């Protein structure tokens, strides 16, 4: 697999994750008849935060993966960052969407996402030289 194909893979997977999170917010809004805000509904609050958190973390990581590919970083390095990000985003979204407060998915998912960001950041700087 080429570097650009690896970036496309993780971009596509994370886009699908974000689409699933958007759909989750829409379902809650329709079910609870809340068109704006969260209406104080705990499930909708969690769904909104899961979506927001994904859109806060994934885009910068995906830009970093793209920069790694452009700078000719090894494909395995792109896979390490992309896999950590993607698994982290799935776990975090599941944990935050399903459980109020701390959960295994939320904690491990965020840890994997942060590891991905650190990895990608260091790899981008390394690849630049």
């Amino acid at each position: 697999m080429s570097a650009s194909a690896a970036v496309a893979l993780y971009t596509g997977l994370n886009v699908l994750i974000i689409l699933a999170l958007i759909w989750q917010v829409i379902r809650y809004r329709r079910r609870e008849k809340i068109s704006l805000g969260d209406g104080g509904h705990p499930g909708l609050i969690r769904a909104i935060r899961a979506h927001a958190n994904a859109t806060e973390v994934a885009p910068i990581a995906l830009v970093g993966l793209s920069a790694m590919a452009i700078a000719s970083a090894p494909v395995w390095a792109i896979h390490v960052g992309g896999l950590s990000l993607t698994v982290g985003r799935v776990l975090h979204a599941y944990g935050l969407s399903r459980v109020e407060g701390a959960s295994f998915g939320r904690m491990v998912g965020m840890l994997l996402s942060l590891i991905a960001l650190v990895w990608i950041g260091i790899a981008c700087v390394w690849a630049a030289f």
Side-chain angles (χ1 to χ4, degrees):
M1 178 177 280
S2 69
S4 60
V7 172
L9 171 66
Y10 297 112
T11 300
L13 291 172
N14 280 274
V15 165
L16 293 173
I17 291 166
I18 290 171
L19 283 171
L21 294 171
I22 290 168
W23 182 247
Q24 182 174 270
V25 172
I26 291 169
R27 281 184 325 127
Y28 272 109
R29 288 191 184 286
R30 285 183 175 170
R31 185 174 55 227
E32 303 301 324
K33 296 178 178 50
I34 301 169
S35 63
L36 186 62
D38 57 40
H41 187 275
L44 181 54
I45 293 168
R46 288 193 307 275
I48 290 169
R49 281 308 313 150
H51 170 253
N53 190 272
T55 62
E56 292 162 358
V57 174
I60 192 64
L62 295 171
V63 167
L65 290 177
S66 297
M68 288 172 67
I70 291 166
S72 300
V75 175
W76 66 264
I78 294 169
H79 282 299
V80 169
L83 189 60
S84 179
L85 171 71
T86 304
V87 172
R89 293 293 79 214
V90 168
L91 287 173
H92 184 269
Y94 182 80
L96 182 56
S97 297
R98 304 290 181 241
V99 178
E100 196 167 324
S103 69
F104 173 82
R106 188 174 177 194
M107 291 186 297
V108 173
M110 198 64 225
L111 179 62
L112 284 172
S113 297
L114 291 173
I115 288 169
L117 288 172
V118 169
W119 176 265
I120 292 166
I122 291 170
C124 281
V125 172
W126 183 264
F129 293 101

